[in-house]
Amino acid sequence: MATTDIEVLLNTVARHAGEYRRSPRTMHSAPRQSVADCLAGLGGPLPETGTDPAAVIDQLIKASQDGLVMQTSPRFFGWVMGSSHPAGVAADALSGTWGQMGALAPAVEAAEQTAQGWLLELLDLPRECSIGFVTGATIANFTALAAARGEVLRRVGWEADEQGLFGAPPITVIIGAEAHITVFMGLQYLGLGHERVIKVKPDGQGRMDPAAFAEAINKVEGPVIVILQAGHINSGAFDDFETIIPLARQKGAWVHVDGAFGLWARAPAPLKYLTKGIEEADSWATDGHKWLQVPYDCGFTIVRHELAHRRAMTIAASYLPGHQAGERLGFNYAPELSRAARGNAVWAVIKALGRKGVAEMVQRHCRVARQMAQRLSEEPGITILNDVVLNQVAVRFGADQPLQIADELTKQTISQIQGDGICFAGGAKWFGREIMRISVTSMETNEEDGRASAEAMIAAWRKTKRDSRSS
Ligand SMILES: *Cc1c(COP(=O)(O)O)cnc(C)c1O
């Protein structure tokens, strides 16, 4: 391949990027093609010989463009997903161009170190924390819990990172019953077991019941890890950190907070009250690819105890630079050695948005969520199930009907909305009921998007109601 070819290829990508991002509001909201459809363009036997890279990239664009999830659209409210800020996309292209991995290159380390400082300021967490740049909140939770596991056992004289868990004093894990599924996955990976935990009963918003937590922790002796949540996936609710963390402290617990998107409530001053007391925890996990709009995959493990963080994630190797006092090397804080140079995209997105840009975006999204919830709740037959404190709205259609009928109406309305193609929202199950979940996390979503989308949802509901009566 000639050295100029990369320029041709990136020009093709740039041209496509311009077209793809030009009118995001008119994008069809659900993928038009299935996996089987896309296989028509992407399948086939292993190629025996090579193909001109320009033709390869052309084919990838043509075969994929109708099978994409429209998460860069401001009218996309499915799951909790960011929309890949162009500055991050371009920075990723540079990381690839330079062929860098997230360790060894001085420039990449410098971007990570700077981004680490900026993140701690944006999230207003203790400035002495170390941050591991990982693939997302799943691995951020895992990494923080690995540090927690090592540290709580070290305090009782057991070196788990060296000796493993066989014969170790038992660790008690206390977690909210409504914690995100991926936190239980982290416990599973770590040999702590996803069922070998004390699950604290939730209130109606999915928060941990503080009285039930107090009762649970009072019975515990020995090493303990407490896992809290900032931003429940359906309701956006926050655990009561101010009450719970001091109780956990009395028992010497390591307190971890899963704040995949909710931690970003710390960026705008008016929303900070939601996270009051959270800064007293020992570790936090959050995503870059959700609210911060960094392209996939990007998450952050933030740990107050740098040494515990590093000990959980590294063994010194003779051929790698050793750790000098005061020196940071990014691979010591994440599970992988070789990984993407994520710091570049994080640096670029934060630089492009600035403190004010991040705060304005988060606040705007919460405002749009409230506005949509308000409009939807005015329509007969539509019920909002959560207190809309953040960016999440849990919607139920036909809630005045018997449970199963409302479940069915909710599912039908969701597919009507997706078929209409004005906006996109997905379904979920919460406390045994089908719901539609609105997550406002797409970078450019504004009040007009909220208004038009709420009207589209109402129209879809009215149609679903009419169709169900006539059938
Ligand atoms: C999305 C999410 C996760 C998992 O994060 P990934 O980035 O998908 O790995 C964990 N917890 C909560 C609350 C989430 O919303």
Side-chain angles (χ1 to χ4, degrees):
M1 181 173 161
T3 49
T4 51
D5 279 3
I6 194 160
E7 200 176 325
V8 172
L9 297 177
L10 288 182
N11 275 330
T12 303
V13 172
R15 227 176 10 258
H16 173 71
E19 282 165 29
Y20 188 78
R21 295 282 183 109
R22 194 157 293 132
S23 359
R25 286 182 173 82
T26 61
M27 285 163 110
H28 196 277
S29 70
R32 271 184 288 230
Q33 293 195 334
S34 66
V35 176
D37 297 334
C38 294
L39 278 171
L42 295 171
L46 167 68
E48 228 24 80
T49 55
T51 305
D52 171 25
V56 171
I57 293 305
D58 276 337
Q59 184 180 348
L60 185 59
I61 292 172
K62 287 201 182 73
S64 302
Q65 57 190 359
D66 287 329
L68 302 174
V69 174
M70 297 304 179
Q71 59 191 88
T72 56
S73 163
R75 298 188 180 178
F76 182 87
F77 304 98
W79 307 284
V80 184
M81 291 172 148
S83 51
S84 291
H85 193 294
V89 175
D92 272 349
L94 281 175
S95 303
T97 298
W98 293 331
Q100 297 302 295
M101 73 148 173
L104 304 179
V108 175
E109 179 58 37
E112 258 189 33
Q113 283 185 19
T114 305
Q116 170 177 280
W118 289 350
L119 285 164
L120 293 175
E121 243 190 273
L122 274 170
L123 299 169
D124 192 16
L125 292 174
R127 305 303 191 264
E128 73 270 22
C129 289
S130 46
I131 299 188
F133 289 66
V134 295
T135 51
T138 303
I139 299 302
N141 281 315
F142 161 82
T143 302
L145 291 170
R149 182 186 69 171
E151 186 63 20
V152 296
L153 287 178
R154 199 170 294 118
R155 288 180 196 155
V156 293
W158 186 272
E159 289 291 345
D161 298 325
E162 289 152 27
Q163 303 304 323
L165 291 180
F166 298 102
I171 298 174
T172 307
V173 175
I174 305 182
I175 185 168
E178 285 273 298
H180 196 268
I181 186 77
T182 57
V183 185
F184 292 99
M185 280 156 53
L187 293 170
Q188 174 180 321
Y189 306 157
L190 287 163
L192 295 171
H194 61 76
E195 287 305 313
R196 200 191 147 282
V197 295
I198 298 176
K199 287 188 196 169
V200 178
K201 77 168 197 263
D203 69 6
Q205 298 296 316
R207 284 178 295 236
M208 212 186 244
D209 175 344
F213 173 80
E215 202 185 315
I217 193 134
N218 280 337
K219 292 190 195 126
V220 172
E221 292 304 329
V224 50
I225 298 172
V226 170
I227 304 173
L228 304 178
Q229 178 164 259
H232 182 281
I233 192 71
N234 293 325
S235 68
F238 293 77
D239 280 334
D240 179 354
F241 308 110
E242 236 187 337
T243 306
I244 295 173
I245 295 180
L247 294 173
R249 279 271 168 275
Q250 285 171 13
K251 288 283 187 168
W254 176 295
V255 179
H256 172 69
V257 182
D258 174 18
F261 58 99
L263 205 54
W264 293 92
R266 291 181 70 74
L271 292 178
K272 225 168 152 186
Y273 75 97
L274 291 166
T275 64
K276 204 154 178 234
I278 205 173
E279 64 282 1
E280 298 300 322
D282 297 285
S283 59
W284 305 263
T286 194
D287 264 313
H289 56 222
K290 287 179 180 169
W291 231 340
L292 188 58
Q293 316 294 331
V294 176
Y296 289 89
D297 39 22
C298 181
F300 312 112
T301 296
I302 308 170
V303 182
R304 183 192 294 273
H305 317 282
E306 186 271 339
L307 188 57
H309 189 174
R310 187 152 40 87
R311 280 170 127 168
M313 285 298 123
T314 192
I315 304 170
S318 61
Y319 62 91
L320 293 171
H323 185 88
Q324 320 276 321
E327 182 190 44
R328 179 188 188 277
L329 295 167
F331 59 80
N332 286 337
Y333 305 94
E336 313 100 333
L337 174 56
S338 303
R339 62 179 169 83
R342 294 186 188 102
N344 290 333
V346 179
W347 181 91
V349 171
I350 298 177
K351 182 92 176 163
L353 288 171
R355 188 202 296 269
K356 285 194 177 133
V358 174
E360 183 279 326
M361 172 180 66
V362 170
Q363 244 187 309
R364 169 165 38 86
H365 288 164
C366 295
R367 208 164 53 234
V368 171
R370 274 198 312 276
Q371 167 206 345
M372 290 179 78
Q374 175 58 37
R375 178 68 191 99
L376 291 171
S377 68
E378 289 162 11
E379 176 70 14
I382 302 184
T383 308
I384 306 302
L385 299 180
N386 65 318
D387 301 335
V388 183
V389 295
L390 200 66
N391 62 326
Q392 300 292 103
V393 187
V395 189
R396 180 124 163 117
F397 296 93
D400 52 337
Q401 309 271 331
L403 204 71
Q404 263 127 8
I405 295 178
D407 277 351
E408 209 37 56
L409 287 169
T410 299
K411 284 199 281 191
Q412 284 167 8
T413 307
I414 293 168
S415 66
Q416 184 67 44
I417 290 167
Q418 293 182 356
D420 290 345
I422 293 164
C423 65
F424 183 97
K429 239 185 157 146
W430 196 28
F431 292 128
R433 294 165 298 187
E434 295 290 339
I435 61 167
M436 180 181 82
R437 200 170 63 198
I438 298 173
S439 303
V440 189
T441 31
S442 190
M443 189 167 55
E444 288 178 23
T445 305
N446 61 26
E447 281 79 356
E448 175 51 24
D449 295 309
R451 191 202 59 75
S453 301
E455 294 309 326
M457 289 168 179
I458 289 169
W461 161 237
R462 288 179 184 166
K463 179 163 192 318
T464 303
K465 236 181 357 182
R466 274 198 308 276
D467 291 353
S468 76
R469 280 206 201 100
S470 58
S471 68

